[in-house]
Amino acid sequence: MSALFEPYTLRSLTIPNRVWMPPMCQYSAPPEGPQAGVPQDWHFAHYAARAAGGTGLIIVEATAVSPEGRISPYDLGIWNDTQVEAFRRTTAFLKSQGTVPGIQIGHAGRKASTDRPWKGGAPLGPEEHGWQSVAPSPVAFDERHPVPAELSVEGIREIVGQFADAARRALDAGFEVAEIHGAHGYLIGEFLSPHSNKRTDAYGGSYENRTRFALEVVDAVRAVWPEDKPLFFRISATDWLEEAGWTADDTVRFAAELKEHGIDLLDVSTGGNAAGVRIPVGPGYQVPFAARVKAETELPVAAVGLITEVEQAEKIVANGEADAVLLGRELLRDPSWARRAARDLGGEVHVPEQYHRSV
């Protein structure tokens, strides 16, 4: 049997295959008013197509725990009940197709309040639906970004509570997997890295202090997320800096601690916290980081990063480099990638009744 199409069980949840969709922002929610952060028809059609295509787990894009936590004014949010109600349409459809619905909850930190990528992604001011960003320290991401406001301890505690509230709402919306966004230079990742965290209090300086906020978020979310449902954590395994950054060694150490705090799987990416770094991008370029975590800890991992070919994905899982693969851009290009891969590998995947005559 194909390794890619073996079911995978975490806690009491069984995911039908190892072809998963990672969070990919669509920047398509209304920016203000009662519909701010609410999923629209585009979001439903986007995720529904990949479910009909056989994807085992779909993790909905980075969804903000507060209005100020959005990457852009056009991001999804899960800070109110209007958003919860709108999400139910998508989660119900994904389940009807045999796909597990997941959601990534996050806070953008100093990289918040920016325009949509196809508009240039520049920071936005108040006249353009923008707001003041916050961070561990008053250190701008790059020369284009404004200096963020340094979070007080009270502000940190408030955001920890917002993550817990977001997890409660995610459960109410019908999601089966929650993922905490600790990657790509957003708020949690900013606390983890000495490149962006210059604090001298209990949340900065030593490794133990820099990981404190992340673990407080994990504990708060795990306390409200049901014991029988899995909780993921997405991490950037390295800042790709030669010094004064988060490293692969840190990731391995932290992975073991995350497992102790109730994380069930580490979603391993890289980069995003330091501007202007050189990243050796190529097919599967981030897989070795996932493989190292899997080899050196007991925490399951998912691999991501230019995984495009069926044989490539099969080999990653079959060789034990990762427990699952997350296909980003390839699933944007081909919503039915999983169904095509199953046909090539002799695996089984859900096929909608309406498509039976064409497969």
Side-chain angles (χ1 to χ4, degrees):
M1 181 179 179
S2 163
L4 205 56
F5 290 94
E6 290 182 6
Y8 190 59
T9 299
L10 289 166
R11 297 191 183 242
S12 67
L13 179 71
T14 297
I15 303 169
N17 60 54
R18 317 297 182 94
V19 181
W20 300 353
M21 182 175 175
M24 289 179 285
C25 289
Q26 298 298 293
Y27 306 101
S28 297
E32 62 180 0
Q35 287 290 300
V38 174
Q40 304 295 301
D41 286 347
W42 170 263
H43 300 95
F44 176 81
H46 171 64
Y47 294 114
R50 278 79 196 168
T55 307
L57 166 68
I58 290 177
I59 306 176
V60 167
E61 62 205 75
T63 304
V65 301
S66 69
E68 299 76 23
R70 292 173 292 175
I71 302 166
S72 85
Y74 307 95
D75 283 10
L76 293 178
I78 194 155
W79 64 79
N80 65 42
D81 293 340
T82 301
Q83 296 156 346
V84 169
E85 181 62 34
F87 272 123
R88 289 181 181 142
R89 179 188 180 201
T90 297
T91 58
F93 183 82
L94 266 56
K95 291 174 184 177
S96 76
Q97 300 303 302
T99 296
V100 173
I103 187 171
Q104 183 186 73
I105 54 175
H107 191 297
R110 66 178 182 169
K111 295 174 75 175
S113 188
T114 59
D115 206 349
R116 291 165 289 191
W118 56 86
K119 295 287 189 178
L124 298 175
E127 70 284 356
E128 302 170 292
H129 310 299
W131 59 90
Q132 171 69 59
S133 62
V134 297
S137 305
V139 180
F141 173 67
D142 61 18
E143 64 279 355
R144 291 200 312 167
H145 283 70
V147 174
E150 181 174 282
L151 280 165
S152 66
V153 172
E154 292 74 18
I156 291 171
R157 290 171 180 162
E158 181 180 4
I159 293 174
V160 171
Q162 289 170 347
F163 270 92
D165 290 342
R168 288 191 192 96
R169 290 193 172 96
L171 181 66
D172 192 26
F175 290 100
E176 299 286 338
V177 172
E179 176 173 273
I180 296 168
H181 196 355
H184 301 158
Y186 298 120
L187 186 61
I188 292 176
E190 292 164 18
F191 270 91
L192 292 177
S193 174
H195 175 74
S196 46
N197 185 345
K198 308 297 183 183
R199 300 176 74 97
T200 57
D201 63 1
Y203 291 94
S206 68
Y207 166 90
E208 289 79 8
N209 283 357
R210 287 184 283 108
T211 58
R212 188 182 308 278
F213 173 60
L215 292 177
E216 286 180 354
V217 169
V218 169
D219 289 345
V221 172
R222 187 74 266 182
V224 301
W225 194 247
E227 275 295 312
D228 63 339
K229 295 185 186 299
L231 180 61
F232 294 4
F233 190 98
R234 191 168 217 195
I235 197 164
S236 284
T238 176
D239 284 339
W240 296 106
L241 292 169
E242 293 184 4
E243 56 184 27
W246 183 261
T247 69
D249 289 343
D250 293 328
T251 296
V252 171
R253 177 181 178 183
F254 192 47
E257 295 173 13
L258 288 171
K259 181 175 175 59
E260 292 176 358
H261 285 257
I263 291 295
D264 299 291
L265 181 139
L266 194 66
D267 176 355
V268 184
S269 187
T270 66
N273 193 44
V277 296
R278 303 183 71 174
I279 300 176
V281 175
Y285 71 104
Q286 295 175 144
V287 174
F289 295 96
R292 182 179 171 192
V293 171
K294 185 168 174 58
E296 297 183 26
T297 75
E298 296 181 352
L299 188 63
V301 299
V304 66
L306 291 184
I307 300 170
T308 60
E309 302 300 325
V310 173
E311 295 79 8
Q312 174 196 21
E314 172 74 8
K315 185 179 295 185
I316 290 168
V317 177
N319 290 350
E321 295 174 275
D323 299 284
V325 292
L326 292 153
L327 276 67
R329 280 167 281 191
E330 192 61 23
L331 272 175
L332 295 183
R333 290 185 284 262
D334 182 2
S336 296
W337 191 96
R339 188 152 17 98
R340 177 168 59 84
R343 184 181 62 226
D344 293 349
L345 297 172
E348 294 184 3
V349 70
H350 171 79
V351 178
E353 293 179 356
Q354 296 89 335
Y355 292 172
H356 278 179
R357 287 174 295 177
S358 62
V359 295

